[in-house]
């Protein structure tokens, strides 16, 4: 009984915070962007990152291979979600929706989740199934990220890796169950595999981003910073979790004897590359549509 009261209180508190965030979004968005830029400049300066320390090969690899690959993997996830719900979203359209959602997160309007769900609804999927599937996908990704991160934290006595692993496992199982409840088992398996591969690629991007800035981290540590990015992206009170993912990464950095400022800059670099690519996709799509109309 007490647990139910605590859950209801937490839900009410989160709803109130979300309502406040929505009402003041036009102020929060520019303030978050300015603060993010100021902290980023400070982080780069504090980490001692200079032009000579940069690794052009990793930066280019991240820009032209890993960043587009993660975008396409997310588009495949949206396309597969439509397939699982009995509708069809072409890969090209799915890519534009994913890119538009990322860009929309930086505007006073709600972004990614609404864009993805809207695309599924417009394709003919049922609202109840869409909500269950999209929530399950998000929860599974979060749980799997926490679970993988717990393995990297096992050697650190300052963190209860066992408890972290249990939490990750519970979230993963619940998320997988929600996906299984929304579609056929074989289709659910495809969606789960897509989520797993996407997370692993996000972790690889994090490793490449650190390397781009001349900062060395172990490959096994990358999932922790990738998890920080995923957890931060769930923060609804800043656009797309702007600054929250980077701050969480900075907090995790001392666990691996890494520079907090360097971690902030590395995660921020991936965000900048993603926004640049998604913005380019959106502009290209708009120009193409305009040319077609004319």
């Amino acid at each position: 009984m007490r647990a139910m009261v605590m859950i209801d209180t937490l839900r009410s508190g989160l709803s109130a915070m979300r309502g406040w965030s929505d009402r003041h979004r036009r102020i929060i968005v520019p303030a978050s962007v300015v603060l993010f830029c100021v902290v980023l400049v400070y982080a780069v300066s504090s980490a001692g990152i200079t032009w000579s320390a940069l690794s052009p090969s990793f930066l280019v690899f991240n820009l032209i291979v890993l960043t587009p690959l993660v975008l396409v993997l997310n588009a495949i996830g949206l396309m597969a979600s439509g397939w699982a719900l009995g509708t069809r979203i072409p890969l090209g359209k799915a890519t534009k929706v994913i890119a538009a959602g990322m860009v929309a997160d930086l505007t006073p309007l709600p972004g990614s989740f609404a864009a993805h769900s809207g695309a599924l609804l417009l394709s003919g999927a049922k609202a109840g199934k869409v909500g269950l599937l999209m929530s399950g996908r998000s929860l599974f990704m979060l749980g799997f990220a926490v679970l993988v991160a717990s393995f990297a934290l096992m050697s650190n006595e300052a963190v209860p890796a066992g408890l972290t692993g249990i939490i990750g496992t519970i979230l993963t199982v619940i998320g997988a169950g929600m996906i299984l409840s929304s579609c056929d088992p074989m289709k659910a398996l495809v969606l789960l595999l897509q989520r797993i591969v996407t997370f692993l690629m996000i972790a690889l991007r994090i490793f490449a981003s650190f390397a781009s800035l001349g900062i060395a981290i172990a490959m096994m540590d990358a999932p922790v910073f990738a998890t920080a990015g995923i957890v931060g992206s769930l923060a609804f009170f800043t656009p797309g979790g702007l600054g929250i993912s980077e701050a969480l990464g900075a907090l995790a950095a001392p666990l691996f004897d890494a520079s907090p400022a360097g971690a902030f800059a590395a995660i921020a670099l991936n965000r900048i590359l993603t926004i640049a690519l998604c913005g380019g996709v959106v502009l290209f799509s708009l120009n193409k549509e305009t040319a077609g109309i004319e």
Side-chain angles (χ1 to χ4, degrees):
M1 183 68 178
R2 183 176 297 178
M4 291 299 297
V5 173
M6 291 177 62
I7 292 173
D8 288 339
T9 302
L10 179 61
R11 184 184 295 121
S12 299
L14 290 175
S15 297
M17 290 177 65
R18 185 181 295 276
W20 179 89
S21 176
D22 290 341
R23 290 193 301 272
H24 298 86
R25 198 168 180 83
R26 292 185 181 277
I27 299 174
I28 294 173
V29 171
S32 299
V33 172
V34 171
L35 181 61
F36 173 79
C37 292
V38 170
V39 175
L40 177 59
V41 171
Y42 174 78
V44 171
S45 175
S46 299
I49 298 171
T50 61
W51 288 108
S52 59
L54 297 179
S55 173
S57 57
F58 274 105
L59 182 59
V60 171
F61 180 63
N62 195 355
L63 175 63
I64 68 174
V65 177
L66 296 182
T67 302
L69 182 56
V70 171
L71 175 62
V72 171
L73 281 172
N74 278 307
I76 290 173
L78 181 59
M79 183 175 67
S81 296
W83 167 69
L85 295 176
T87 65
R88 182 177 179 274
I89 300 179
L91 181 59
K93 180 180 178 180
T95 302
K96 288 189 287 186
V97 169
I98 296 294
M102 289 294 299
V103 174
D105 277 336
L106 298 179
T107 71
L109 301 173
S112 297
F113 192 90
H116 304 170
S117 299
L120 291 170
L121 291 172
L122 288 174
S123 69
K126 295 181 180 179
K129 293 288 187 179
V130 169
L132 186 62
L133 179 64
M134 293 301 293
S135 298
R137 276 166 40 96
S138 298
L139 198 58
F140 178 83
M141 176 69 98
L142 175 62
F144 183 76
V146 172
L147 179 59
V148 175
S150 69
F151 288 100
L153 295 170
M154 281 184 175
S155 60
N156 196 306
E157 296 180 356
V159 179
L163 177 60
T164 303
I166 292 173
I167 294 173
T169 300
I170 293 173
L171 293 176
T172 300
V173 171
I174 294 174
M178 293 172 72
I179 294 174
L180 280 165
S181 299
S182 64
C183 61
D184 296 336
M186 186 57 66
K187 293 180 178 180
L189 179 60
V190 172
L191 291 176
L192 295 177
L193 289 175
Q194 182 274 333
R195 295 276 82 189
I196 291 172
V197 172
T198 300
F199 174 75
L200 295 178
M201 291 308 304
I202 290 173
L204 182 58
R205 271 194 82 209
I206 287 290
F207 178 82
S209 186
F210 272 95
S212 298
L213 299 177
I215 303 172
I217 63 169
M219 181 67 79
M220 274 300 296
D221 297 341
V224 176
F225 296 103
T227 301
I230 291 171
V231 172
S233 67
L234 299 177
F236 52 80
F237 47 86
T238 64
L242 185 67
I244 306 300
S245 299
E246 291 80 3
L248 291 175
L251 288 174
L255 298 174
F256 308 102
D257 296 323
S259 162
F264 188 101
I267 297 174
L269 174 60
N270 272 353
R271 183 187 294 275
I272 291 168
L273 294 179
T274 298
I275 293 173
L277 175 62
C278 291
V281 170
V282 171
L283 288 175
F284 176 78
S285 300
L286 290 175
N287 289 335
K288 190 174 180 181
E289 290 174 6
T290 302
I293 292 173
E294 295 176 349

